[in-house]
Amino acid sequence: MTLPPTLNSRDTILAVFDHFREELDDHNDRRERLIKSSRDVTNLSKKVIFLLHRTMTEDVGEADDRTLGSRAASRARGKLKEIQSLFAGMRPELSGDRYARYQRNVSPGLQEYIEALSFAHYLEHRALISYEEVQRSLCDDDGTPYFPLSLEDYLLGLSDLTGELMRFAIASISRRGGRQKANDVCHFVRDYFEGLTPYFRDLRKKQAVTGQSLEKIEDAAYAVAVRTSEFDLPSEMLDDLVAQMVSR
Amino acid sequence: MTLPPTLNSRDTILAVFDHFREELDDHNDRRERLIKSSRDVTNLSKKVIFLLHRTMTEDVGEADDRTLGSRAASRARGKLKEIQSLFAGMRPELSGDRYARYQRNVSPGLQEYIEALSFAHYLEHRALISYEEVQRSLCDDDGTPYFPLSLEDYLLGLSDLTGELMRFAIASISRRGGRQKANDVCHFVRDYFEGLTPYFRDLRKKQAVTGQSLEKIEDAAYAVAVRTSEFDLPSEMLDDLVAQMVSR
Amino acid sequence: MDSQNLERINSMLDAEVEIREKIKEQVTEFDKRTRTLVGILNRIHSTRSEKMSTLLDQARPVLDSCRETTAALADIVPPDQFWKWKDMWSLSLRSAVFSATLMEYLNSGTLLSLPAVAETLGFKPEWKDRVTLAVEDYLHGVITLVNELSRLAVNSVTLGDFEQPIKISLFVKDIFAGFSMLNLKNDTLRRRYDSLKYDIKKIEEVVYDVSLRKLAPSAQEKAE
Amino acid sequence: MDSQNLERINSMLDAEVEIREKIKEQVTEFDKRTRTLVGILNRIHSTRSEKMSTLLDQARPVLDSCRETTAALADIVPPDQFWKWKDMWSLSLRSAVFSATLMEYLNSGTLLSLPAVAETLGFKPEWKDRVTLAVEDYLHGVITLVNELSRLAVNSVTLGDFEQPIKISLFVKDIFAGFSMLNLKNDTLRRRYDSLKYDIKKIEEVVYDVSLRKLAPSAQEKAE
Amino acid sequence: MDSQNLERINSMLDAEVEIREKIKEQVTEFDKRTRTLVGILNRIHSTRSEKMSTLLDQARPVLDSCRETTAALADIVPPDQFWKWKDMWSLSLRSAVFSATLMEYLNSGTLLSLPAVAETLGFKPEWKDRVTLAVEDYLHGVITLVNELSRLAVNSVTLGDFEQPIKISLFVKDIFAGFSMLNLKNDTLRRRYDSLKYDIKKIEEVVYDVSLRKLAPSAQEKAE
Amino acid sequence: MDSQNLERINSMLDAEVEIREKIKEQVTEFDKRTRTLVGILNRIHSTRSEKMSTLLDQARPVLDSCRETTAALADIVPPDQFWKWKDMWSLSLRSAVFSATLMEYLNSGTLLSLPAVAETLGFKPEWKDRVTLAVEDYLHGVITLVNELSRLAVNSVTLGDFEQPIKISLFVKDIFAGFSMLNLKNDTLRRRYDSLKYDIKKIEEVVYDVSLRKLAPSAQEKAE
Amino acid sequence: MDSQNLERINSMLDAEVEIREKIKEQVTEFDKRTRTLVGILNRIHSTRSEKMSTLLDQARPVLDSCRETTAALADIVPPDQFWKWKDMWSLSLRSAVFSATLMEYLNSGTLLSLPAVAETLGFKPEWKDRVTLAVEDYLHGVITLVNELSRLAVNSVTLGDFEQPIKISLFVKDIFAGFSMLNLKNDTLRRRYDSLKYDIKKIEEVVYDVSLRKLAPSAQEKAE
Amino acid sequence: MDSQNLERINSMLDAEVEIREKIKEQVTEFDKRTRTLVGILNRIHSTRSEKMSTLLDQARPVLDSCRETTAALADIVPPDQFWKWKDMWSLSLRSAVFSATLMEYLNSGTLLSLPAVAETLGFKPEWKDRVTLAVEDYLHGVITLVNELSRLAVNSVTLGDFEQPIKISLFVKDIFAGFSMLNLKNDTLRRRYDSLKYDIKKIEEVVYDVSLRKLAPSAQEKAE
Ligand SMILES: [Mn+2]
Ligand SMILES: [Mn+2]
């Protein structure tokens, strides 16, 4: 469409605005599609998180934590792949400068995905997933990113992880070796915190929730400590004695 | 699945909860699908409303209002049919007692649809669409409703109509015959109001907006009245005089 | 507004108001019943196990009387409108579910299933589009049951019953395993499910205290 | 947190902070320019048509200076990040669009198109993923133009120019017809578009007053 | 808790519940009446002045029927408890005050005083510790009256009555001057009083339009 | 607004302002008294039982001084206006109720009844339309008492008093049973009543700890 | 907390409370004065120009009495604490600024400068760390002046004075041009400044109406 | 607006903008320092008592560096304007107060007084009209200290230090008693003070756990 630089008749104006309409409609439709995909991602991610919790609390004889963690992560892998392919599907809608435009519509799902992914990663490796690793999970086979991961999404996704870790620690505490697990999570979360505290101001609200989660984990670790200090035996041996009593 | 009335082993409990999980997942997935469809309905309905406004303000020589109204309504008909078929598609998800369960997820789209439908109806018939007529638009060829229309959705959809009528009245006022149109809309909205005022209390918030729209329409009608009273000629003749002056 | 339309609207409105009023009346009654029931069952915390069945006998007729509410509601709610009205009575209903499952646990040590609770409370399958026991209400009731059992574990030890906590521990762990099968939304149920973990922790602590005091005499000595 | 990850995060954060600071500086400058421009153009309301071109000559260099801002921003914003930063300068940009289109209207009586505005403000096509003139910013500027023209219609009559309102009326109606082609969301643009109707109404009233006073002498007499 | 203490408390609480229920019933009825009344009075905006008295005749019996509510409330509220319950009906009461004062204005052009409104609505002085017309409720009703009259000023011009806005302007300015002498604390009433300025401004603009065009020859003299 | 109407309204508003000021003054004083009282009573948590009566002796005159407030308020509040003003002092009053009931519990182990609290605080029956002790204020005070006793149960164990928690447990359960028979609507009181469950649970856990370790031989018998 | 630390803190807090009380008293008085003043000045809208000076004579002593407030505040506020307390009186102060500038406009047609207003209100330079007229308070007062003048433009036409709107138009445009050169941050002041556009538009429309009808022959020349 | 008036206003506004920019810069720096400090002090929860002094040695230089901020602010803020700007840095300042008092507690077990904190942070008495440590900022910092100590009580037990909670309990009760003697108005400080009760309760429960299990033989004696 070639038009004069100034629009001097109703017809040229209408032609130009017709073009604007197409552009706006395109934009709105794309936004809608991305919002829908983001909701799908959110739902699948929540299911992954439940699956991980479920696997970690299954009664499977004497399986140790490492084994359980690997099993949980490998069970989650399929669903995580599914989510990744949803992101792959959004790729054309998010190419070039579009990602920055639609980021806020994609963020809710993306953050929930990072929460799920980092939880699986923690259970398998007892470590925090790095920015690089998250970005790598959102690349095609050639290692080209579907879109550039924003720092904000990475950090906000991780903030939510603490909530899940708190749930994990509290659910584990009444199981064999729970004390150790509560302590591990406690140190892990503190470490994450201490790493970030000096840098961030804007994450405040989320960090308040993280702080509450940390306090809950600390309270759980405390409860075990207080109770075992009353007896003069190593805590593993105490666990065995209790198990003996409770065995059906 | 037959189960004993009391669940006395972990396995029976797990079997029962497995069933619960399916039920909950089913419910959540259905809810998601309906929310998505409702968003589609909202978007299409908004487009219908713009199409109606656009048609009513088109410059089409001496077409009178009735003609314009019919043309607008018939142009909208196609898109409204499209929306109706979206509702038809939701039907199995909303059968029996399901409608009551998912109503709140469907309402936003449904109310926007009623707004669009009633606006088209007003432009064509200069009358308020009745509850029956809205329900009839949501029936299959045998006249069986896709779902029972709730009174709330009907009334809230209509409340939004006043906003569109206000836009319509104000856009028309600087056109030929605008004074009459502003007065018509004014009476129509007042009539709607006076019909409902004695009955409703809960619609208050929406009605406050309706009231503001009505005041804006009244102000518009006032402006024309004041201006024409200065001259001793019938307003149609004044319009002609002005048109003559402005003609390119 | 044309008068036919207005009339129709009016009659629909009136019908709704009437239904709401009638349900409210039933709910007031239902609420009284479940409060009495919960009041009686609150006494389990100071009742020795041998006298528990007497207590249950007192509660039974109150529990049975809830069937009247169920039937009355089934009469009031129009077809297909279960989900429209259920929030009005679900708080009371969850109390009733809690009471029924607590009584069954105290009686047989097992978990009353959803259909069994529904039957106990007099729900008929043919009413299912008007009044029925929804999964979420059953689950809420069961969570309240676990909350109460963690309190009972503590109090039964005070009363000298060292077996109850161990029984409760096994029972509650099974229920928890059930709950962890579910994919929950971020709603009340999720929040209450999270709180279950604290109940289990408390119960485990009691079991721990009791077991070690029985099996680790050396520890015992130190503690004294 | 392992130190490599932390370092990466930190360097990303620092980069962002730096970009924001640099843009802020440019925007302060941009804001000054557009405020001066709007200040000059505000004088159209008390300027007779024959002196309008002198006024425009004064405004032109200020408008041209906006190209420096555009170029500076294009230097700062990284590739593909246009949408991330644009909110920082869009208020000033819309003022610039308004000024450019107003000046063109006063000069030629026509509407400057989006690409023409972009060129006037110095946007280069190859910067389009960093700084560009988005449709919504253009439309906002045009709406401000209409707001201002409704004021001009009134004031030109006060200054004795009875032709201007009629010119404005035709021009603005064409723009309005364009706007009514769009499907807008419930956002600022929609709200401002709704407000256009009032501007058109005001302009029509002026046209009405002026025409009837010219063509209906009988009315004139009565009014006096 | 000893049983006498408990019984006393319980009977006090039960009495409260009963009173609340009874008042609620009356308020529902009162609310219907005032809504009908307001519904009828809504029609003033499309009623020519010569037919206004017919409209008022229709409203009168509904207004009178409010006395039944007043009497019923006086029967229900225990001595000394006016302030405990008044919030339950004050919204409806303010609507009634508004209606009574609007009707009087339309009839005689004057403001009905507080005691006169109280009498119209059937309040008896001897009920003053149970039901009475509080100052704030009267003032709220009067503010609503001003809000409505600013709308009427506009609509009466549309209907060709150019004297009404002038009458309204004088009436409302008088009320405003009255209000500005009151010692209102910084609450809802104060905020609503502040909003009166907008109504007055609107009315003044209508009077301006009318007198500018010499549509009501009396405008100038009266406005002084 | 005619001047008589205006004058009447103004004098009513002025009277209100004056009363409010006077009450505010008394409430400031009342607040100081109850804060001192609560400050003294806060020391129960680090006071051994044998020294408790000395502490109570210190608190007594402060409690008695509250009668001055009551009398002063009775002087200020006009007849029939109790419910209009009571919210101004109810926070302090509830603190006073809490203090009075706590002191009685520590002294005699019993719950002070509503009329007894009223008498202690100097309310005279003939003032009942001006100042009186409303049921809800009494109940709020009692709930605060339970909150405080759960803290005391914990701290008395720290101080080596293992009988106190058992005494508290019985006392509090009795109050809780009383509350559960009241017909509380769904308001603040209801919410605070619901929170009592946590206090009871905490107290039960203290009793459990004590009896598990056989620190108070009487625990088992008494808990029944 | 050692007692010296505590004492120091307490005496600081007590001093603050006392200062606050004293300022509050003065502000109540100040508020009365400015309300009276604004009440008198409200009458300009129905006062013919020839009687304006009589009205101003009535307002003058009230304006002068504000100096007492200023002096009293200077006595109360401790050195260096102007910014701590100024929010308490700034609303009243802005009313006073508005009144002073309005009176000057009506008298001489000019804008009273900041130092002149300060002097009128009795501020002494040597009090500047305790009470002074801050820029923002002056500007708020001037904006209120413009708001009021747009109303006056309308009402003076109603009263048959067709020159006043033209005078106001010139005066207000000058103020607006001044404001547009200020570097206002994005706060309340900015928002109120933006709203000035509506006042100017309204005034321009009045001038338009007047000149269209050739009611004020001077309109055209002056508007230039 | 005459140009002298305008110039004066503009230069005042520009000066403000400049001061604000400079303060903002310092606050950014201050904020970094206090966040680093808080980050280091966060580690007390996983640090055994014997290594605490090493941790404090690390924190000390960061705390000392805050003096640079204080001095820089004293240079920027004009005389008499402390209260105008203090809100800009008070959040960071409260963090610094918290850090200083926490470090002193860990070092000597005592509460740093207001003047001592002021000295530590480098405030000079002669700056008091520009930068000083206001009472409310000191108190906010102390409340944060109590919040943190309740967490430390829990975590020190986990680390096997059973004496720390007892020390904390005594220290915190002393602070609480101090606060309860202050005349706090009903603002943020009051609300935060009310929340201290939860911290105290939590600490008391830790002390309870420790003394019930005879883990710290000194518990009973010290708690008195
Ligand atoms: Mn989560
Ligand atoms: Mn709409």
Side-chain angles (χ1 to χ4, degrees), chain F residues 19-30:
Chain F
I19 293 170
R20 183 175 309 277
E21 282 310 312
K22 281 188 187 162
I23 295 180
K24 211 181 273 175
E25 228 168 80
Q26 285 305 318
V27 169
T28 305
E29 195 55 34
F30 198 8

Side-chain angles (χ1 to χ4, degrees), chain A residues 49 112 115 160 164 167, chain C residues 190:
Chain A
I49 292 170
E112 200 75 32
E115 183 181 346
D160 292 336
E164 300 308 329
R167 294 192 174 98
Chain C
R190 169 85 199 253

Side-chain angles (χ1 to χ4, degrees), chain G residues 110-124:
Chain G
T110 59
L111 178 66
L112 212 57
S113 71
L114 192 155
V117 174
E119 212 202 299
T120 305
L121 297 175
F123 287 98
K124 302 236 168 96

Side-chain angles (χ1 to χ4, degrees), chain C residues 180-197:
Chain C
S180 35
M181 309 276 299
L182 306 178
N183 296 316
L184 299 170
K185 303 251 100 185
N186 279 342
D187 57 4
T188 346
L189 204 54
R190 169 85 199 253
R191 239 171 303 131
R192 294 198 66 202
Y193 161 64
D194 280 342
S195 78
L196 277 191
K197 290 164 193 160

Side-chain angles (χ1 to χ4, degrees), chain H residues 38-49:
Chain H
V38 169
I40 296 171
L41 292 173
N42 245 335
R43 275 186 255 142
I44 59 171
H45 299 288
S46 48
T47 301
R48 298 189 167 279
S49 40

Side-chain angles (χ1 to χ4, degrees), chain B residues 46 49 112 115 160-161 163-164 167, chain D residues 186 190:
Chain B
K46 280 195 197 300
I49 292 170
E112 201 74 31
E115 184 181 344
D160 292 337
L161 170 64
E164 299 308 329
R167 293 191 173 99
Chain D
N186 279 341
R190 170 84 198 254

